Amino acid sequence: MKFEEKALETKHVFKGKVIDLDVETVILPDGKKATREIVHHHGAVGIVCITENEKIILVKQWRQPLRKATLEIPAGKIDPEEKGPLNTAARELNEEVRLSAQSFEYITSFYTSPGFADEKMFLYRAHGLNSVEKNLPRDAGEFLNIFELSMEQVEEEIKKGTICDSKTLMAIWYWKMNRIKE
Amino acid sequence: MKFEEKALETKHVFKGKVIDLDVETVILPDGKKATREIVHHHGAVGIVCITENEKIILVKQWRQPLRKATLEIPAGKIDPEEKGPLNTAARELNEEVRLSAQSFEYITSFYTSPGFADEKMFLYRAHGLNSVEKNLPRDAGEFLNIFELSMEQVEEEIKKGTICDSKTLMAIWYWKMNRIKE
């Protein structure tokens, strides 16, 4: 079966700080027309930090789309001027949790919502964590607290719904799978 | 630290078939103002189907936001008139892969992009798969092919980038963790 949809016309609906929104008219494989709502995003990076005493580092912050505060792994948007997601990982690790890493191990990458968005998330594990000497400035309007949670505490926060996003659940599953292996 | 952001004003930028977009002006914990771009979505369901001969059922479809065809687990948007995500799971299993399940086991749920969207995804494992007697109609503009892949084939498609979205990777990690346990 031929799948490809061809864009006939693109309407730029919105240009924002975090996302842009286009509505595309496409020709379907059967020749009919349809519209596709597409959110454009520069992509993001999430970082798995496991401490020497087997805890995961999480940040608590307000998420206005969810109307609540969540616990998530350190993460942030890729600046289009940054040369590759590893630079984003190093910057966000400093900005959000004031740490540097000796190395980053690539875990996986994924599209968060392929039905309506092109946001791609890169997941890394940070090795050799150290406190930074010089704090990078946080984004305006970024308020967060840093936590270290054991696997048992993590399970509790998942039940409560405070840990509730895909990249953080994947970080925890990755941590769990690695503990089984070790 | 107090985190909450309070909405002062909401501008409805776009109302679509799949998403709506609002821009909210909020008051930050320090009293300053900021804007938040928020995509509203009714939520979605993804279904993990493992066959008796240890293969996972995936659908191939065109994803215009990614400009490519992907392999994903059967999934679909929650219709606001459906009473709960389990009904969505049963409907999508029929529409997309022409199967019914004797039961659905809840795996997890998560927000796909908590920074800019309220989309929540519910992940279920389907048990007791059978061919359906009556095919439900697919959505207009929905073209897909059905595949059954072994774990080895899945790993190959992840490398190629055909399997590339969060819910499908979580489905595969869940499958992997269960195989370790068994």
Side-chain angles (χ1 to χ4, degrees), chain B residues 114-129:
Chain B
F116 67 86
D118 65 3
E119 183 194 25
K120 189 172 186 176
M121 169 74 64
F122 296 84
L123 206 60
Y124 294 98
R125 164 121 185 222
H127 292 282
L129 295 169

Side-chain angles (χ1 to χ4, degrees), chain A residues 17 24 37 67 113 119, chain B residues 17 24 37 67 113 119:
Chain A
K17 287 179 306 176
E24 291 191 2
E37 299 155 10
R67 303 292 194 251
S113 279
E119 183 194 25
Chain B
K17 288 180 305 177
E24 291 192 1
E37 299 155 9
R67 304 288 195 254
S113 279
E119 183 194 25

Side-chain angles (χ1 to χ4, degrees), chain B residues 98-117:
Chain B
R98 304 313 189 190
L99 292 173
S100 69
Q102 273 164 19
S103 67
F104 289 99
E105 176 192 353
Y106 173 79
I107 299 173
T108 189
S109 59
F110 51 86
Y111 293 97
T112 55
S113 279
F116 67 86

Side-chain angles (χ1 to χ4, degrees), chain A residues 64, chain B residues 5-8 24-28 32-34 36:
Chain A
Q64 186 64 3
Chain B
E5 300 179 359
K6 285 193 202 308
L8 271 185
E24 291 192 1
T25 306
V26 298
I27 300 192
L28 299 172
K32 288 183 184 163
K33 286 184 192 177
R36 298 286 179 239

Side-chain angles (χ1 to χ4, degrees), chain A residues 109-173:
Chain A
S109 59
F110 51 87
Y111 292 97
T112 55
S113 279
F116 67 86
D118 65 2
E119 183 194 25
K120 189 171 185 177
M121 170 74 64
F122 296 83
L123 206 60
Y124 295 99
R125 164 122 185 223
H127 292 283
L129 295 169
N130 275 298
S131 298
V132 288
E133 285 163 25
K134 198 176 167 235
N135 288 352
L136 292 173
R138 286 181 181 159
D139 297 340
E142 191 172 37
F143 297 86
L144 47 86
N145 276 359
I146 306 165
F147 291 86
E148 293 185 10
L149 267 65
S150 67
M151 184 61 85
E152 292 65 34
Q153 290 171 314
V154 157
E155 301 284 6
E156 213 42 56
E157 297 300 332
I158 292 173
K159 270 185 212 153
K160 282 195 235 164
T162 323
I163 292 176
C164 58
D165 77 294
S166 55
K167 70 177 172 309
T168 305
L169 279 178
M170 288 186 78
I172 291 162
W173 287 15

